[in-house]
Amino acid sequence: MAIQTIVPYTVASDMLSIKEIRDQLKDTGYPVTTDDIERWIREQGLYVEKYRRDVYVSYSDILMAHKDWIASKA
């Protein structure tokens, strides 16, 4: 019988650089800056990985923070 395991860390394919995330969110109608994304990372204590000069964070985590940010503006 197959069981689903709980993975305590983010799936690698979900990790994007802050600049890539900023570019993805620019067409949503609620564009953000890299400073906004970095603030959400700090405030929510999100897991990040640093590779060379880029910082990578879970796109799903940022989408949830973005949703909360939009809701707070309404």
Side-chain angles (χ1 to χ4, degrees), residues 1-73:
M1 174 166 77
I3 62 169
Q4 181 178 2
T5 59
I6 298 174
V7 180
Y9 49 86
T10 308
V11 177
S13 63
D14 189 33
M15 302 294 275
L16 294 176
S17 73
I18 291 175
K19 292 176 184 178
E20 290 171 321
I21 292 172
R22 181 199 63 208
D23 293 343
Q24 290 287 324
L25 295 176
K26 74 179 177 184
D27 296 327
T28 64
Y30 296 94
V32 298
T33 65
T34 54
D35 290 339
D36 292 328
I37 297 169
E38 290 170 353
R39 181 172 28 85
W40 298 337
I41 291 169
R42 281 191 313 275
E43 289 175 353
Q44 297 186 15
L46 301 179
Y47 173 76
V48 298
E49 285 189 20
K50 295 179 181 178
Y51 181 70
R52 296 186 180 162
R53 295 184 147 208
D54 292 324
V55 175
Y56 291 83
V57 63
S58 167
Y59 185 53
S60 299
D61 289 345
I62 294 299
L63 285 178
M64 295 302 292
H66 187 249
K67 174 190 69 87
D68 294 341
W69 177 70
I70 293 169
S72 72
K73 296 179 96 177

